[in-house]
Structures are given as structure tokens and as C-alpha cells.
Amino acid sequence: MKIEAVMFAVIASFALAAALASVACASDGVFTMKVGGFEVSMLSEVQRKGGLDILIGASSSDVERFIPDGEYPNAVAVYMIRSADGVVLVDTGYGTALERNMESLGVRPEDVKDILITHSHGDHIGGLLKEEERAFPNARIHVSKAEYEWSPSMRDALDKYGGDVNMIGPGTLDDGAEVLPGVRAIAAYGHTPGHTMFMLESKGERLLFWGDLTHAMAIQMPRPGVSVRYDSDPVKAAEVRKSVLEYVSRNKIPAAGAHIAYPGVGDISADQENPGGYRFTPKN
Ligand SMILES: [Zn+2]
């Protein structure tokens, strides 16, 4: 083969590999379901394994029982809510795969009208900015006042984003403050001092976006008392986790979490064989 032909073959095979990779991402990285009149999509930033080093309060026998391989499925996900009223994002992930995932569903950054922020960690607000510029030109940001006041990185990101911020005072699970039609904000302080969940409700159906209530589903479902190093207040985080799991299992409310592996959404039920523990059944 001539050198040009070799080069062409190499370039062509790279192009094919890249095309296949993007096809794989488009199908593996997005999961869509209906919640009443809304369409909710999980947009995966990354699917990966988590380590034991981040766990707080896990006994060695529980680790052996629930995480026998020494690692567990973990992810970073953004959620997108679509309705006739427009496009809403719950968090923005790192901002790595977000735009591509949105594009695969025919949504452009300028279509996003509102962004609900669960908290200020980089894997949730990283996508607000693109090269230090506002990534969503028409979107209003909703964030809890407590998180804004606590977090310098939240304030810095919003300064760069350029105003257009709605400070929210989240309510309780039974009585959350309405932020947008069909969306209520619920305080779940513990992971961070302003960590906020969002309850979507439409036509009798509900879905709770619980942000970082969990990071290691494999052990935090059977043992909700286990916290992680990223929890600002591990004790409070565990208390909140237990009360939210009790509430969603009793009321049969499915949940979506930023660190739940694909599809990122599922049903929670009390585990009858393991009092105080829960089971997670992913949607399909
Ligand atoms: Zn997180």
C-alpha cells in the first residue's frame, strides 16, 4: 500500500471508531420515561465504579456482603424535564457529555428555560459554564438560598453565569415550595448545608430528583446509615437519607439520583427481610 492509502485507512478507521463510540454513547447515555404530562430523560455524564475509600460507617461484614468485588456501580447524571412549557434541567453535571446528549434528543442549549440546582459540587454545576461563559443563554437558575450563602463556588459560578437567579427556600417532603409548575423544592440538608431535592408531579404521577442523597446504592439501600466522605455532615446526611427512603417507599414515589447508575431512575421498597433496609428496582 502507498503511504497515502495507509494514511487514509488509518484516518478512516479512526473516524469509524469515533462514530461507533458516539452511537454507543447516545444509546447508553440517555434514558427517557414519562411522568404524567412530562417527559424525563436521564443524561449520563459518566458511568463508572465507586471505591470503598469514600464510605463512612460501613462495617467490614456489610462490605463483604453488599460489595464483594470491592467496587460498585456509580455514575454522574443530569436530568432533563420536557413539557409543552419548555425544557428544564436538574443540575448540569460536569458539562462533558451534556450538550451531545441533549442534541441526541433534538434539544439545544438555548431551548433550556430553567435549571434546578441540587447543590454546588462541581459534578452538578460544572456544566453551567462553557469556557467560563454562560452555557445556557436563556435559562434561569434556581438554587436554595442556604446553598448560595454557604458555597463560594456556587456564588462564583453564578457571578460568571450572569444573574438571572431565583433564590428558593425549599420546603418539606409533604409541603415543598413550588418553584415551577409541577415542581416543588424540598430541603434535604446534610450532603451540603443547602442540598435540595425536587419533586415532579403531574396527573397523579410523581418522581423525586434526590440529587446526592446516595452515592453507593449497593450499600446505602440495605444500610442507609452509611454515609460518604463527600457528605458535609455525614450524621445529618444519614438521617435525611433514612427519612426520605421511608417516605418514598411508603408513598410509592420513584426516584432519580445524580449518582445512580444507568438508567438512573427506579422504585424503592422497604426490604422485608432486612428491617431498616431498602431495595431499589431500576426502571426499564
Ligand atoms: Zn455529586
Side-chain angles (χ1 to χ4, degrees), residues 30-43 78-90 102 104-107 183 200-203 205 207 209 265:
V30 175
F31 177 81
T32 299
M33 62 180 274
K34 292 258 188 229
V35 179
F38 293 99
E39 200 166 72
V40 174
S41 298
M42 185 281 294
L43 310 177
V78 176
Y79 292 86
M80 182 167 73
I81 305 167
R82 283 182 289 172
S83 70
D85 289 338
V87 179
V88 178
L89 294 180
V90 181
M102 286 170 56
S104 77
L105 297 171
V107 179
V183 182
L200 181 67
E201 184 162 5
S202 169
K203 300 178 182 171
E205 288 189 67
L207 175 65
F209 298 94
V265 188

Side-chain angles (χ1 to χ4, degrees), residues 119 123-124 212 215 259:
H119 65 295
D123 50 331
H124 299 261
D212 279 16
H215 293 75
H259 299 298

Side-chain angles (χ1 to χ4, degrees), residues 48 75-76 91 94 118-119 121-124 191 195 211-212 214-215 230 258-259:
R48 62 190 179 191
V76 174
D91 289 332
Y94 298 113
T118 62
H119 65 295
H121 289 160
D123 50 331
H124 299 261
H191 175 61
H195 183 256
D212 279 16
T214 65
H215 293 75
Y230 312 128
H259 299 298

Side-chain angles (χ1 to χ4, degrees), residues 31 42 47 79 260-266 280 282-284:
F31 177 81
M42 185 281 294
Q47 299 292 315
Y79 292 86
I260 302 178
Y262 185 93
V265 188
F280 179 74
K283 295 279 187 193
N284 56 30

